[in-house]
mmCIF file of all heavy atoms in Angstrom:
data_model
loop_
_atom_site.group_PDB
_atom_site.id
_atom_site.type_symbol
_atom_site.label_atom_id
_atom_site.label_comp_id
_atom_site.label_asym_id
_atom_site.label_seq_id
_atom_site.Cartn_x
_atom_site.Cartn_y
_atom_site.Cartn_z
ATOM 1 N N LEU A 267 -103.124 -14.258 -4.795
ATOM 2 C CA LEU A 267 -102.594 -14.208 -3.427
ATOM 3 C C LEU A 267 -103.103 -15.410 -2.653
ATOM 4 O O LEU A 267 -104.307 -15.675 -2.615
ATOM 5 C CB LEU A 267 -103.047 -12.920 -2.732
ATOM 6 C CG LEU A 267 -102.701 -12.789 -1.254
ATOM 7 C CD1 LEU A 267 -101.188 -12.648 -1.064
ATOM 8 C CD2 LEU A 267 -103.428 -11.606 -0.644
ATOM 9 N N VAL A 269 -102.841 -17.074 1.217
ATOM 10 C CA VAL A 269 -102.441 -16.824 2.598
ATOM 11 C C VAL A 269 -102.826 -18.031 3.428
ATOM 12 O O VAL A 269 -103.963 -18.508 3.361
ATOM 13 C CB VAL A 269 -103.134 -15.559 3.173
ATOM 14 C CG1 VAL A 269 -102.659 -15.272 4.581
ATOM 15 C CG2 VAL A 269 -102.919 -14.350 2.273
ATOM 16 N N GLY A 271 -102.692 -19.761 7.496
ATOM 17 C CA GLY A 271 -102.704 -19.289 8.876
ATOM 18 C C GLY A 271 -103.782 -18.254 9.120
ATOM 19 O O GLY A 271 -103.684 -17.431 10.021
ATOM 20 N N VAL A 272 -104.847 -18.290 8.309
ATOM 21 C CA VAL A 272 -105.960 -17.340 8.437
ATOM 22 C C VAL A 272 -106.978 -17.892 9.434
ATOM 23 O O VAL A 272 -107.437 -19.013 9.308
ATOM 24 C CB VAL A 272 -106.644 -17.106 7.071
ATOM 25 C CG1 VAL A 272 -107.867 -16.217 7.215
ATOM 26 C CG2 VAL A 272 -105.660 -16.515 6.076
ATOM 27 N N SER A 273 -107.318 -17.078 10.430
ATOM 28 C CA SER A 273 -108.318 -17.513 11.411
ATOM 29 C C SER A 273 -109.666 -16.839 11.191
ATOM 30 O O SER A 273 -110.666 -17.264 11.755
ATOM 31 C CB SER A 273 -107.823 -17.245 12.831
ATOM 32 O OG SER A 273 -107.526 -15.873 13.004
ATOM 33 N N GLY A 274 -109.709 -15.779 10.364
ATOM 34 C CA GLY A 274 -110.973 -15.126 10.092
ATOM 35 C C GLY A 274 -110.827 -13.981 9.111
ATOM 36 O O GLY A 274 -109.745 -13.444 8.921
ATOM 37 N N VAL A 275 -111.953 -13.638 8.470
ATOM 38 C CA VAL A 275 -112.018 -12.475 7.590
ATOM 39 C C VAL A 275 -112.868 -11.441 8.308
ATOM 40 O O VAL A 275 -114.040 -11.686 8.594
ATOM 41 C CB VAL A 275 -112.631 -12.839 6.219
ATOM 42 C CG1 VAL A 275 -112.784 -11.602 5.350
ATOM 43 C CG2 VAL A 275 -111.783 -13.880 5.516
ATOM 44 N N GLU A 276 -112.277 -10.297 8.634
ATOM 45 C CA GLU A 276 -112.985 -9.261 9.378
ATOM 46 C C GLU A 276 -113.901 -8.445 8.478
ATOM 47 O O GLU A 276 -115.012 -8.111 8.863
ATOM 48 C CB GLU A 276 -111.979 -8.345 10.074
ATOM 49 C CG GLU A 276 -111.158 -9.074 11.117
ATOM 50 C CD GLU A 276 -110.069 -8.212 11.706
ATOM 51 O OE1 GLU A 276 -110.083 -6.971 11.514
ATOM 52 O OE2 GLU A 276 -109.183 -8.778 12.370
ATOM 53 N N ARG A 277 -113.410 -8.098 7.290
ATOM 54 C CA ARG A 277 -114.230 -7.364 6.323
ATOM 55 C C ARG A 277 -113.578 -7.500 4.958
ATOM 56 O O ARG A 277 -112.395 -7.773 4.843
ATOM 57 C CB ARG A 277 -114.375 -5.895 6.703
ATOM 58 C CG ARG A 277 -113.077 -5.130 6.732
ATOM 59 C CD ARG A 277 -113.297 -3.663 7.101
ATOM 60 N NE ARG A 277 -112.043 -3.013 7.353
ATOM 61 C CZ ARG A 277 -111.208 -2.593 6.416
ATOM 62 N NH1 ARG A 277 -111.493 -2.757 5.156
ATOM 63 N NH2 ARG A 277 -110.066 -2.010 6.730
ATOM 64 N N PHE A 278 -114.387 -7.284 3.909
ATOM 65 C CA PHE A 278 -113.826 -7.326 2.565
ATOM 66 C C PHE A 278 -114.722 -6.577 1.598
ATOM 67 O O PHE A 278 -115.931 -6.467 1.796
ATOM 68 C CB PHE A 278 -113.610 -8.765 2.084
ATOM 69 C CG PHE A 278 -114.870 -9.554 1.895
ATOM 70 C CD1 PHE A 278 -115.495 -9.614 0.656
ATOM 71 C CD2 PHE A 278 -115.433 -10.229 2.955
ATOM 72 C CE1 PHE A 278 -116.655 -10.338 0.492
ATOM 73 C CE2 PHE A 278 -116.599 -10.959 2.800
ATOM 74 C CZ PHE A 278 -117.201 -11.013 1.558
ATOM 75 N N ASP A 279 -114.107 -6.004 0.565
ATOM 76 C CA ASP A 279 -114.792 -5.433 -0.579
ATOM 77 C C ASP A 279 -113.825 -5.483 -1.756
ATOM 78 O O ASP A 279 -112.774 -6.118 -1.654
ATOM 79 C CB ASP A 279 -115.313 -4.011 -0.293
ATOM 80 C CG ASP A 279 -114.232 -3.027 0.099
ATOM 81 O OD1 ASP A 279 -113.101 -3.116 -0.432
ATOM 82 O OD2 ASP A 279 -114.505 -2.141 0.924
ATOM 83 N N SER A 282 -110.297 -3.773 -0.549
ATOM 84 C CA SER A 282 -109.519 -4.188 0.621
ATOM 85 C C SER A 282 -110.127 -5.405 1.299
ATOM 86 O O SER A 282 -111.335 -5.624 1.250
ATOM 87 C CB SER A 282 -109.391 -3.048 1.630
ATOM 88 O OG SER A 282 -110.643 -2.750 2.201
ATOM 89 N N ILE A 283 -109.241 -6.176 1.927
ATOM 90 C CA ILE A 283 -109.647 -7.346 2.708
ATOM 91 C C ILE A 283 -108.859 -7.295 4.013
ATOM 92 O O ILE A 283 -107.635 -7.165 3.993
ATOM 93 C CB ILE A 283 -109.343 -8.663 1.966
ATOM 94 C CG1 ILE A 283 -110.055 -8.699 0.612
ATOM 95 C CG2 ILE A 283 -109.749 -9.865 2.816
ATOM 96 C CD1 ILE A 283 -109.668 -9.866 -0.269
ATOM 97 N N ALA A 284 -109.546 -7.365 5.139
ATOM 98 C CA ALA A 284 -108.898 -7.392 6.451
ATOM 99 C C ALA A 284 -109.019 -8.799 7.022
ATOM 100 O O ALA A 284 -110.120 -9.336 7.131
ATOM 101 C CB ALA A 284 -109.535 -6.380 7.395
ATOM 102 N N LEU A 285 -107.862 -9.390 7.357
ATOM 103 C CA LEU A 285 -107.810 -10.776 7.823
ATOM 104 C C LEU A 285 -107.206 -10.865 9.210
ATOM 105 O O LEU A 285 -106.286 -10.111 9.539
ATOM 106 C CB LEU A 285 -106.906 -11.604 6.893
ATOM 107 C CG LEU A 285 -107.152 -11.561 5.412
ATOM 108 C CD1 LEU A 285 -105.991 -12.208 4.678
ATOM 109 C CD2 LEU A 285 -108.438 -12.268 5.094
ATOM 110 N N SER A 286 -107.657 -11.822 9.989
ATOM 111 C CA SER A 286 -106.974 -12.207 11.228
ATOM 112 C C SER A 286 -106.104 -13.402 10.866
ATOM 113 O O SER A 286 -106.595 -14.383 10.306
ATOM 114 C CB SER A 286 -107.974 -12.620 12.295
ATOM 115 O OG SER A 286 -108.805 -11.536 12.640
ATOM 116 N N THR A 287 -104.796 -13.298 11.158
ATOM 117 C CA THR A 287 -103.881 -14.387 10.835
ATOM 118 C C THR A 287 -103.085 -14.776 12.072
ATOM 119 O O THR A 287 -103.117 -14.083 13.091
ATOM 120 C CB THR A 287 -102.884 -14.002 9.720
ATOM 121 O OG1 THR A 287 -101.910 -13.108 10.256
ATOM 122 C CG2 THR A 287 -103.579 -13.371 8.536
ATOM 123 N N ALA A 288 -102.317 -15.840 11.937
ATOM 124 C CA ALA A 288 -101.466 -16.305 13.032
ATOM 125 C C ALA A 288 -100.385 -15.278 13.368
ATOM 126 O O ALA A 288 -99.834 -15.294 14.457
ATOM 127 C CB ALA A 288 -100.818 -17.637 12.654
ATOM 128 N N GLY A 290 -100.966 -11.871 13.118
ATOM 129 C CA GLY A 290 -101.613 -10.597 13.407
ATOM 130 C C GLY A 290 -102.598 -10.221 12.318
ATOM 131 O O GLY A 290 -102.877 -10.991 11.397
ATOM 132 N N ARG A 291 -103.117 -8.999 12.413
ATOM 133 C CA ARG A 291 -104.108 -8.507 11.456
ATOM 134 C C ARG A 291 -103.402 -8.112 10.159
ATOM 135 O O ARG A 291 -102.442 -7.354 10.172
ATOM 136 C CB ARG A 291 -104.841 -7.310 12.031
ATOM 137 C CG ARG A 291 -105.981 -6.839 11.193
ATOM 138 C CD ARG A 291 -106.827 -5.840 11.984
ATOM 139 N NE ARG A 291 -108.014 -5.510 11.267
ATOM 140 C CZ ARG A 291 -108.194 -4.349 10.628
ATOM 141 N NH1 ARG A 291 -107.260 -3.420 10.665
ATOM 142 N NH2 ARG A 291 -109.313 -4.119 9.983
ATOM 143 N N LEU A 292 -103.904 -8.628 9.034
ATOM 144 C CA LEU A 292 -103.315 -8.366 7.725
ATOM 145 C C LEU A 292 -104.341 -7.629 6.871
ATOM 146 O O LEU A 292 -105.485 -8.070 6.736
ATOM 147 C CB LEU A 292 -102.928 -9.682 7.037
ATOM 148 C CG LEU A 292 -102.391 -9.590 5.610
ATOM 149 C CD1 LEU A 292 -101.089 -8.792 5.563
ATOM 150 C CD2 LEU A 292 -102.186 -10.986 5.045
ATOM 151 N N LEU A 293 -103.919 -6.498 6.293
ATOM 152 C CA LEU A 293 -104.769 -5.730 5.405
ATOM 153 C C LEU A 293 -104.224 -5.859 3.983
ATOM 154 O O LEU A 293 -103.076 -5.529 3.714
ATOM 155 C CB LEU A 293 -104.802 -4.258 5.823
ATOM 156 C CG LEU A 293 -105.691 -3.336 4.994
ATOM 157 C CD1 LEU A 293 -107.143 -3.775 5.083
ATOM 158 C CD2 LEU A 293 -105.535 -1.905 5.465
ATOM 159 N N VAL A 294 -105.078 -6.365 3.088
ATOM 160 C CA VAL A 294 -104.743 -6.511 1.676
ATOM 161 C C VAL A 294 -105.479 -5.412 0.945
ATOM 162 O O VAL A 294 -106.697 -5.285 1.074
ATOM 163 C CB VAL A 294 -105.186 -7.891 1.132
ATOM 164 C CG1 VAL A 294 -104.851 -8.021 -0.343
ATOM 165 C CG2 VAL A 294 -104.583 -9.016 1.946
ATOM 166 N N LEU A 299 -110.557 -7.034 -6.042
ATOM 167 C CA LEU A 299 -110.248 -8.171 -5.170
ATOM 168 C C LEU A 299 -111.496 -9.011 -4.924
ATOM 169 O O LEU A 299 -112.568 -8.471 -4.639
ATOM 170 C CB LEU A 299 -109.683 -7.694 -3.840
ATOM 171 C CG LEU A 299 -108.406 -6.861 -3.894
ATOM 172 C CD1 LEU A 299 -108.048 -6.368 -2.501
ATOM 173 C CD2 LEU A 299 -107.267 -7.655 -4.493
ATOM 174 N N HIS A 300 -111.359 -10.303 -5.032
ATOM 175 C CA HIS A 300 -112.437 -11.195 -4.623
ATOM 176 C C HIS A 300 -111.839 -12.480 -4.057
ATOM 177 O O HIS A 300 -110.764 -12.913 -4.461
ATOM 178 C CB HIS A 300 -113.430 -11.480 -5.756
ATOM 179 C CG HIS A 300 -112.847 -12.105 -6.968
ATOM 180 N ND1 HIS A 300 -112.215 -11.380 -7.949
ATOM 181 C CD2 HIS A 300 -112.801 -13.392 -7.378
ATOM 182 C CE1 HIS A 300 -111.805 -12.194 -8.898
ATOM 183 N NE2 HIS A 300 -112.138 -13.426 -8.572
ATOM 184 N N ILE A 301 -112.551 -13.028 -3.104
ATOM 185 C CA ILE A 301 -112.097 -14.240 -2.427
ATOM 186 C C ILE A 301 -112.554 -15.445 -3.240
ATOM 187 O O ILE A 301 -113.748 -15.674 -3.402
ATOM 188 C CB ILE A 301 -112.644 -14.300 -0.985
ATOM 189 C CG1 ILE A 301 -112.092 -13.122 -0.177
ATOM 190 C CG2 ILE A 301 -112.294 -15.626 -0.324
ATOM 191 C CD1 ILE A 301 -112.683 -12.980 1.215
ATOM 192 N N GLU A 302 -111.589 -16.168 -3.783
ATOM 193 C CA GLU A 302 -111.875 -17.368 -4.568
ATOM 194 C C GLU A 302 -112.132 -18.572 -3.674
ATOM 195 O O GLU A 302 -112.974 -19.391 -3.971
ATOM 196 C CB GLU A 302 -110.690 -17.703 -5.485
ATOM 197 C CG GLU A 302 -110.620 -16.889 -6.736
ATOM 198 C CD GLU A 302 -111.750 -17.192 -7.699
ATOM 199 O OE1 GLU A 302 -112.045 -18.372 -7.955
ATOM 200 O OE2 GLU A 302 -112.352 -16.230 -8.181
ATOM 201 N N LYS A 303 -111.360 -18.669 -2.587
ATOM 202 C CA LYS A 303 -111.461 -19.833 -1.708
ATOM 203 C C LYS A 303 -111.150 -19.393 -0.284
ATOM 204 O O LYS A 303 -110.216 -18.630 -0.052
ATOM 205 C CB LYS A 303 -110.457 -20.902 -2.140
ATOM 206 C CG LYS A 303 -110.397 -22.107 -1.232
ATOM 207 C CD LYS A 303 -109.277 -23.045 -1.642
ATOM 208 C CE LYS A 303 -109.021 -24.044 -0.539
ATOM 209 N NZ LYS A 303 -107.776 -24.755 -0.722
ATOM 210 N N LEU A 304 -111.941 -19.876 0.646
ATOM 211 C CA LEU A 304 -111.691 -19.631 2.070
ATOM 212 C C LEU A 304 -111.980 -20.915 2.824
ATOM 213 O O LEU A 304 -113.081 -21.442 2.760
ATOM 214 C CB LEU A 304 -112.574 -18.503 2.598
ATOM 215 C CG LEU A 304 -112.527 -18.255 4.102
ATOM 216 C CD1 LEU A 304 -111.124 -17.849 4.537
ATOM 217 C CD2 LEU A 304 -113.525 -17.189 4.494
ATOM 218 N N SER A 305 -110.962 -21.415 3.515
ATOM 219 C CA SER A 305 -111.114 -22.606 4.335
ATOM 220 C C SER A 305 -110.602 -22.275 5.730
ATOM 221 O O SER A 305 -109.389 -22.276 5.959
ATOM 222 C CB SER A 305 -110.323 -23.775 3.739
ATOM 223 O OG SER A 305 -110.295 -24.846 4.665
ATOM 224 N N LEU A 306 -111.513 -21.949 6.635
ATOM 225 C CA LEU A 306 -111.089 -21.627 7.996
ATOM 226 C C LEU A 306 -110.642 -22.871 8.747
ATOM 227 O O LEU A 306 -109.855 -22.774 9.681
ATOM 228 C CB LEU A 306 -112.203 -20.903 8.745
ATOM 229 C CG LEU A 306 -112.525 -19.503 8.218
ATOM 230 C CD1 LEU A 306 -113.648 -18.879 9.024
ATOM 231 C CD2 LEU A 306 -111.300 -18.614 8.224
ATOM 232 N N ASP A 307 -111.131 -24.052 8.334
ATOM 233 C CA ASP A 307 -110.665 -25.292 8.963
ATOM 234 C C ASP A 307 -109.174 -25.475 8.721
ATOM 235 O O ASP A 307 -108.420 -25.822 9.614
ATOM 236 C CB ASP A 307 -111.429 -26.505 8.417
ATOM 237 C CG ASP A 307 -112.889 -26.522 8.850
ATOM 238 O OD1 ASP A 307 -113.202 -25.891 9.883
ATOM 239 O OD2 ASP A 307 -113.692 -27.149 8.150
ATOM 240 N N GLY A 309 -107.296 -22.937 7.415
ATOM 241 C CA GLY A 309 -106.656 -21.633 7.542
ATOM 242 C C GLY A 309 -106.128 -21.079 6.235
ATOM 243 O O GLY A 309 -105.203 -20.275 6.226
ATOM 244 N N ASP A 310 -106.728 -21.501 5.103
ATOM 245 C CA ASP A 310 -106.230 -21.085 3.792
ATOM 246 C C ASP A 310 -107.190 -20.122 3.113
ATOM 247 O O ASP A 310 -108.405 -20.273 3.184
ATOM 248 C CB ASP A 310 -106.036 -22.303 2.883
ATOM 249 C CG ASP A 310 -104.995 -23.255 3.430
ATOM 250 O OD1 ASP A 310 -103.950 -22.770 3.902
ATOM 251 O OD2 ASP A 310 -105.218 -24.472 3.385
ATOM 252 N N LEU A 311 -106.604 -19.141 2.406
ATOM 253 C CA LEU A 311 -107.372 -18.139 1.677
ATOM 254 C C LEU A 311 -106.726 -17.921 0.318
ATOM 255 O O LEU A 311 -105.492 -17.824 0.218
ATOM 256 C CB LEU A 311 -107.382 -16.822 2.455
ATOM 257 C CG LEU A 311 -107.999 -15.622 1.756
ATOM 258 C CD1 LEU A 311 -109.509 -15.671 1.891
ATOM 259 C CD2 LEU A 311 -107.474 -14.336 2.354
ATOM 260 N N LEU A 312 -107.541 -17.833 -0.735
ATOM 261 C CA LEU A 312 -107.060 -17.519 -2.069
ATOM 262 C C LEU A 312 -107.805 -16.289 -2.554
ATOM 263 O O LEU A 312 -109.041 -16.261 -2.546
ATOM 264 C CB LEU A 312 -107.307 -18.688 -3.033
ATOM 265 C CG LEU A 312 -106.987 -18.441 -4.498
ATOM 266 C CD1 LEU A 312 -105.510 -18.105 -4.685
ATOM 267 C CD2 LEU A 312 -107.370 -19.639 -5.343
ATOM 268 N N VAL A 313 -107.051 -15.252 -2.943
ATOM 269 C CA VAL A 313 -107.619 -13.997 -3.418
ATOM 270 C C VAL A 313 -107.167 -13.774 -4.855
ATOM 271 O O VAL A 313 -105.994 -13.953 -5.178
ATOM 272 C CB VAL A 313 -107.151 -12.806 -2.537
ATOM 273 C CG1 VAL A 313 -107.633 -11.484 -3.104
ATOM 274 C CG2 VAL A 313 -107.619 -12.982 -1.107
#
Side-chain angles (χ1 to χ4, degrees):
L267 174 68
V269 183
V272 175
S273 57
V275 176
E276 296 174 14
R277 62 179 170 78
F278 66 93
D279 59 35
S282 67
I283 302 172
L285 308 168
S286 297
T287 74
R291 187 168 188 255
L292 176 63
L293 182 62
V294 179
L299 301 175
H300 59 278
I301 297 173
E302 280 292 313
K303 175 186 166 194
L304 173 62
S305 170
L306 293 180
D307 291 337
D310 297 317
L311 173 81
L312 174 61
V313 175

